[in-house]
Amino acid sequence: MTTIPLSVLDLTPISSGSDARQAVLNTIDLAQRAEAAGYHRYWVAEHHLNPGVAGSAPILTIGLIAAATSTIRVGSGAVLAGNHGSLDLVEQFGLLDLLYPGRLDLGLGRSAHRRSGPPPGTEPPAAPPAPQSTASAPNGLLLPAPPAALGKVFGSPRFRAQQELLSGNEIGQPYPEQVADILALLDGTYNVEDQELHAQPGEHAGLEVWILGSSGGESAQLAGRLGLPFGANCHVAPRGVLDVVEGYRAAFTPSSRLSRPWTIVSADVVVADTESEARELAAGYRHWVHSIRSGQGAIAYPSPAEAAELPWSPQEQELVEDRLQTQFVGSPGQVAERLRQLQEATDADELLITSITHDHDDRVRSHELLAKHWETL
C-alpha cells in the first residue's frame, strides 16, 4: 500500500481536573507538534453545551492554530453550516486566508435545525436491522450496528435546548442552497435579483471546501454532485462508512475544484509503546462516549484511575459497544495495521486521526508514535 497522508481531528477536550483554557492551550500545542511530526491537516470540530469539550468556536480556534504554525493545513471538521450565515463563513475564512494563504480548509456539516435528525459530529439514529448485529467489510473490517437506544438522545431536553439556542440562519435556508451560496460567494458569481454581490474578504480565497457526513444520504450526494472532497465520519458512525463513501463516489461529478472523488475517513485511535499501556490510557473512553450518547453531553475526560472507579453496567456497555469495537488501541504497529485495513476497505485518500487521553503529554505522544511508524510503511 502506498502510504497516504495522516491528518488530525481535534475536539479540544477538557480533562478532569483541568479547564477550558488549558484545553485550548493543549490544542495549540498539539497542532504545533503534529506539524513537526508530518501530519497533513489539523482540523477542529464544532460542539456546543458539552462540559468536557471546549470546541465551540472553531473559526477562532483555527485562527489561533494558523498563527502558531507555518505549514500544516488548518480547518474545520466541521463547522455546522446552519449555525452560521453563508456570508459570515466566507468573510471569516476569507480573512484568515489573507493572513495564511493556501492553508485553510472550510469543512462544512449540516446542523440539526436544517433537517430532521441529529447534527453532524453527533450520533445518527439507530438503523434497523437488529442493533446487536455486527457486519464486516470483505477484508474483515468491523462494521458494528449502533444500539437501538441511541435515538432517544435526540428527544432529550438538552438536545432541544441546543436547537433553540443555536438559531443560526433565521430564514432556515436548505443546506444544499447554503452550500451553493458559499461556493458562489467564493467564486465571485453570487447574484440575487440581477444584482452581483461580492464578499470582501472571501471572494477568490484559496480555500479547500469540504463536505463532511456520517451517512450515504444528502451530504455525500451533495459533495459528489458539486465535485467537492468528502469527509466520512467513521469514528462517529462506523457501521455506515462503506455506504457513505460509495454514495459519494457514485454521485461524483468532476468540477473546477476536483477532477476525481477524494475522501478522508476518520478513526479514533490511542497509541502507546505497548498495547497494555495504550489500553490503560484509553480506559476513560467508554465513559466519555457514553456521556455523549446518553444525552448528558460530553463529560470531562476521566483519568484511568477515575475510570476504574466509575460504575459500569451491561446496558451502558451496549450503548457504546460499536464505538469500542472500532477504536484502534495499541502499539504503533497494531494501530497502523488497523488503519491500513480501514483505508483498504474504504479506499480512502487520507485518514483523519482523532485521539483523546486524560494527560496531554500522552495524547501528543500517541500522535507522534503513530506518525513516526507511518513514515516507515
Side-chain angles (χ1 to χ4, degrees), residues 335-352:
V335 172
E337 175 59 25
R338 293 194 68 183
L339 289 173
R340 182 206 61 77
Q341 186 185 37
L342 175 64
Q343 190 279 331
E344 180 185 71
T346 60
D347 196 24
D349 300 286
E350 304 179 35
L351 292 174
L352 185 64

Side-chain angles (χ1 to χ4, degrees), residues 288-314:
W288 186 79
V289 173
H290 183 269
S291 69
I292 299 170
R293 285 192 160 182
S294 63
Q296 62 181 295
I299 60 172
Y301 199 86
S303 69
E306 290 169 333
E309 298 297 322
L310 290 172
W312 193 248
S313 68

Side-chain angles (χ1 to χ4, degrees), residues 103-147:
R103 293 179 56 202
L104 276 296
D105 296 333
L106 171 52
L108 298 168
R110 291 183 296 187
S111 51
H113 56 279
R114 293 298 180 82
R115 61 166 184 167
S116 60
T122 63
E123 307 288 351
Q132 296 305 310
S133 63
T134 296
S136 61
N139 71 348
L141 178 73
L142 288 178
L143 302 170

Side-chain angles (χ1 to χ4, degrees), residues 142-180:
L142 288 178
L143 302 170
L150 184 56
K152 296 179 181 179
V153 64
F154 304 115
S156 68
R158 177 187 166 274
F159 186 79
R160 292 197 301 270
Q162 176 172 312
Q163 290 180 296
E164 292 172 1
L165 289 172
L166 294 175
S167 57
N169 189 325
E170 296 293 340
I171 65 173
Q173 183 183 29
Y175 181 56
E177 291 183 13
Q178 185 177 16
V179 174

Side-chain angles (χ1 to χ4, degrees), residues 142-144 234 238 268 321-328 338:
L142 288 178
L143 302 170
C234 182
D268 238 316
E321 183 64 31
D322 62 317
R323 292 286 296 273
L324 296 178
Q325 289 182 26
T326 52
Q327 186 191 31
F328 301 166
R338 293 194 68 183

Side-chain angles (χ1 to χ4, degrees), residues 269-271 275-290 299-312 317 320 324 327 329-330 356-359 362:
V269 313
V270 175
V271 182
E275 180 179 3
S276 60
E277 181 184 355
R279 295 207 172 277
E280 181 180 2
L281 296 178
Y285 181 76
R286 64 179 183 175
H287 300 282
W288 186 79
V289 173
H290 183 269
I299 60 172
Y301 199 86
S303 69
E306 290 169 333
E309 298 297 322
L310 290 172
W312 193 248
Q317 180 75 18
V320 301
L324 296 178
Q327 186 191 31
V329 180
I356 303 178
T357 61
H358 179 268
D359 187 82
D362 291 328

